[in-house]
Amino acid sequence: MSVTVKSLLKLPSLANARVVAGAGGLDKIVSTVSVLETMDYQLVDEQALGNKAFTGGEIVITGFVNGAEDVEAQFNLIKNLSAIGEVGLIVYYVGIFVKKIDPEIIKLADDLDFPIISMPENQINLRYGEAINDIMGLIVRDQFSGEPMIVNLLESISKLSPRQQTVDTMMRLISNRLRASVVLTTESGRTLYEAAWPSELAGIHQQVEKFAEVEMGAEPLDFPGMDDASIYRREVHVSGTNYKLYIVNVGQEMSQINLQQAVEGVRIAIKLWGSSEGIGIASEIIDAILTDQPLKMRSLSSMFELDIASVDSMWIFTGCDLGPEDVRNVAAEANKFCSTVCTDVYKERIILFTDTIRKKADVDALRTNLSAVLPHGVKMCYYTGFRNTRDVRRAYLLNGENYDSALKILPGRDFFMRGDMEFAGKCREIVEKGNESVEGYLRVLRVIDETDSNDLIPTLCIYLLDTDRNVQKTADKLFVHKNTVKYRINTISDRLGFHAGSMPESMNLYIACGIRRLLL
């Protein structure tokens, strides 16, 4: 569970503090604490524009000592602190230096959802160090609580303004969390981003770049010029482009889990914010749903205001070379029928999530429209009625396990639903059990075709599996007269003792036909 501004109020050093403004921001995540006494708001503004000194996620401690009576300076300082991603302000010595927090400041903080916490008034004996120790202790304990680092990173960055949601900010958050310097380079070794820890190591990328041609495995190497320092290198792959992530830390060896989570954080950031279009958010949410990562899913969907809870249906499009243009076409058609749409290429397929489409006629119309805008030969699979994202994952796994079998059993189809995949799965499982199980189902087909030519069983398979028991369509597929089909179906029914296709008597007959096609 992440440390929030609200959770700080339970600490012993802040037990008697009170929130005087910005209560709407109490759920912001705190990554560290800093002290700021300068009232030079222009300096803070310059840092904000350059994004150099402030990492975001900080709770700032001040006494406004150097500008106790300068309300304009306090106003501009708070505005700029909020702009660079700081999460709140703890004000000491109210009633001593600052006589009171001005109403203009309170209104600004409320408008910005920027919490201002006032320490007990008129107490000169309070010490910054007590709060700093308490806050950092809570942050460190939280980091060892077992929650994946990537979730904390995504939650932290989601609280920032869109201007602050960048690859650079993610790098700084990772550096802050790991207490290590982080450098991202191209595959050839040119530095793209640097986040130094501590800040006086700014420029460390120049030393890091010297490792571009050095052979490095999973284990760290000694980093020159610093006592007990190590450097790690990991590959980051994003949409066909390779990057190198270097992490330099001092002291204790870094865990493989934290290294993997750092790579994941950078990969997501590059995909989301590495270009002005922010391409990739849909595929990341799709991945979080289909790989059962609910915390990551909630963080991403909250960041991009996508109502995941409303997802009721999933379409899977397979075949051809599906790309971004096809994704845009799918989204455009789905938006005509749905208010929630999330779609992207995922593992060479297009996945589309939507909310409920209540009328079957609308589902049929969307299917027709999608067929018109997608390349010829694309197969569609449609699943609906999800109660939660676990149902979505089960449907995706069902599709993956049985798609190839469904193509063999229902070769003429370009549209499949859950029942088709479940039927294909049952036939596949029977085949996988072995000959004895298969023979138990195929016995009924031998009763049908024990004396005649080989026409009856192929006719039955087409009649049941391909044409939904339509005599004329069956005749068209076989290039025979419909009376011929009627004769064959009547012959089959006589030998079975019930009409071929009537349910539930024909349930095993359907399975037998499906098994036969799998074995051909």
Side-chain angles (χ1 to χ4, degrees):
M1 180 177 180
S2 302
V3 174
T4 63
V5 178
K6 182 186 293 184
S7 63
L8 301 185
L9 298 173
K10 299 177 182 178
L11 295 171
S13 58
L14 296 173
N16 295 317
R18 61 190 182 92
V19 179
V20 297
L26 289 176
D27 288 330
K28 291 180 179 178
I29 295 171
V30 181
S31 62
T32 189
V33 59
S34 65
V35 175
L36 181 67
E37 289 298 354
T38 180
M39 289 294 104
D40 188 352
Y41 63 87
Q42 292 180 333
L43 172 63
V44 175
D45 190 45
E46 290 170 3
Q47 301 293 357
L49 293 173
N51 202 19
K52 295 176 181 177
F54 294 88
T55 63
E58 290 181 333
I59 185 82
V60 178
I61 294 176
T62 188
F64 286 136
V65 175
N66 295 323
E69 298 181 1
D70 191 344
V71 174
E72 182 181 0
Q74 295 171 18
F75 184 96
N76 287 312
L77 181 68
I78 288 170
K79 183 171 66 174
N80 291 339
L81 287 174
S82 175
I84 65 174
E86 308 298 69
V87 298
L89 198 65
I90 302 174
V91 184
Y92 276 68
Y93 311 131
V94 177
I96 299 173
F97 296 107
V98 176
K99 300 306 178 185
K100 67 174 184 177
I101 298 177
D102 193 274
E104 286 188 28
I105 302 295
I106 292 174
K107 183 178 185 306
L108 173 66
D110 283 336
D111 290 342
L112 296 174
D113 287 334
F114 185 79
I116 296 179
I117 299 171
S118 175
M119 295 297 284
E121 299 178 6
N122 300 306
Q123 293 193 24
I124 195 65
N125 62 321
L126 297 177
R127 297 290 180 266
Y128 292 175
E130 294 171 349
I132 291 171
N133 287 338
D134 269 358
I135 293 169
M136 289 309 302
L138 182 61
I139 291 170
V140 170
R141 289 194 298 275
D142 177 71
Q143 290 177 359
F144 287 95
S145 66
E147 181 177 80
M149 183 174 74
I150 186 64
V151 174
N152 184 277
L153 294 173
L154 291 172
E155 286 182 352
S156 296
I157 207 166
S158 70
K159 305 294 183 182
L160 302 179
S161 67
R163 183 171 68 85
Q164 289 289 318
Q165 292 175 350
T166 64
V167 178
D168 189 55
T169 299
M170 178 62 83
M171 292 281 289
R172 294 178 184 281
L173 289 172
I174 292 171
S175 174
N176 214 20
R177 177 69 181 248
L178 297 179
R179 306 293 191 263
S181 295
V182 185
V183 177
L184 183 70
T185 75
T186 62
E187 190 170 24
S188 63
R190 180 174 60 86
T191 296
L192 299 173
Y193 299 95
E194 172 195 285
W197 179 274
S199 57
E200 56 261 30
L201 291 180
I204 194 173
H205 69 275
Q206 295 174 6
Q207 291 174 273
V208 168
E209 286 179 352
K210 297 175 182 178
F211 285 81
E213 302 301 324
V214 176
E215 288 191 16
M216 294 181 66
E219 298 303 314
L221 298 179
D222 292 337
F223 191 75
M226 296 169 58
D227 292 337
D228 200 22
S230 302
I231 182 168
Y232 299 79
R233 183 171 70 201
R234 293 293 184 270
E235 303 293 326
V236 182
H237 307 288
V238 184
S239 302
T241 303
N242 299 323
Y243 304 86
K244 293 178 180 178
L245 181 67
Y246 294 89
I247 300 176
V248 180
N249 80 314
V250 177
Q252 187 174 358
E253 185 174 342
M254 193 161 294
S255 73
Q256 292 300 316
I257 291 177
N258 279 345
L259 289 169
Q260 292 167 5
Q261 298 271 294
V263 169
E264 177 70 358
V266 171
R267 188 189 67 78
I268 290 174
I270 293 172
K271 199 164 187 182
L272 300 186
W273 304 298
S275 71
S276 59
E277 295 179 5
I279 295 171
I281 174 58
S283 64
E284 290 300 326
I285 292 176
I286 290 168
D287 179 73
I289 293 173
L290 298 183
T291 57
D292 195 21
Q293 301 180 65
L295 296 176
K296 175 182 172 183
M297 174 194 67
R298 285 196 293 270
S299 298
L300 287 170
S301 59
S302 173
M303 189 187 308
F304 290 87
E305 299 181 347
L306 182 67
D307 184 10
I308 288 295
S310 70
V311 169
D312 172 83
S313 303
M314 173 175 65
W315 299 68
I316 302 176
F317 306 92
T318 307
C320 304
D321 233 352
L322 299 172
E325 182 64 27
D326 299 308
V327 171
R328 285 189 282 271
N329 290 335
V330 167
E333 295 303 326
N335 277 315
K336 296 176 183 178
F337 296 89
C338 312
S339 57
T340 297
V341 173
C342 178
T343 184
D344 208 340
V345 175
Y346 182 78
K347 296 186 177 180
E348 301 181 350
R349 299 177 175 89
I350 290 180
I351 306 292
L352 167 66
F353 292 139
T354 72
D355 53 0
T356 304
I357 305 177
R358 299 196 177 279
K359 296 181 180 179
K360 182 181 181 302
D362 288 340
V363 174
D364 293 339
L366 176 56
R367 172 189 167 189
T368 300
N369 292 357
L370 290 170
S371 295
V373 299
L374 287 171
H376 177 71
V378 169
K379 306 290 186 180
M380 302 184 200
C381 302
Y382 174 61
Y383 300 86
T384 190
F386 300 135
R387 296 164 299 177
N388 49 51
T389 54
R390 288 187 177 180
D391 284 353
V392 180
R393 174 172 165 75
R394 291 189 191 102
Y396 180 76
L397 293 176
L398 174 72
N399 191 88
E401 291 170 355
N402 301 303
Y403 178 77
D404 289 342
S405 297
L407 290 184
K408 291 192 71 175
I409 295 171
L410 306 167
R413 298 272 288 276
D414 59 10
F415 181 74
F416 302 87
M417 297 184 68
R418 184 193 303 272
D420 299 316
M421 293 299 166
E422 289 175 344
F423 174 70
K426 184 171 183 59
C427 295
R428 176 183 55 79
E429 289 170 0
I430 291 169
V431 171
E432 290 174 351
K433 288 179 181 178
N435 288 336
E436 185 176 347
S437 179
V438 168
E439 288 300 318
Y441 282 91
L442 293 186
R443 191 176 298 116
V444 66
L445 297 184
R446 294 192 179 90
V447 170
I448 293 171
D449 207 19
E450 58 188 9
T451 58
D452 293 274
S453 66
N454 293 328
D455 293 334
L456 294 183
I457 292 178
T459 300
L460 177 66
C461 290
I462 292 172
Y463 178 72
L464 294 181
L465 300 179
D466 298 336
T467 67
D468 194 23
R469 295 174 294 164
N470 185 292
V471 171
Q472 184 60 61
K473 289 180 180 179
T474 302
D476 292 342
K477 281 185 171 291
L478 290 169
F479 301 103
V480 298
H481 194 276
K482 68 177 183 179
N483 287 341
T484 301
V485 173
K486 286 182 179 179
Y487 171 78
R488 292 176 183 175
I489 297 301
N490 287 335
T491 299
I492 291 168
S493 299
D494 288 342
R495 293 179 180 179
L496 290 172
F498 57 86
H499 182 72
S502 64
M503 295 296 286
E505 293 88 352
S506 297
M507 186 174 297
N508 286 346
L509 195 59
Y510 275 93
I511 294 172
C513 291
I515 291 172
R516 181 179 185 274
R517 284 189 170 176
L518 281 181
L519 295 174
L520 288 177

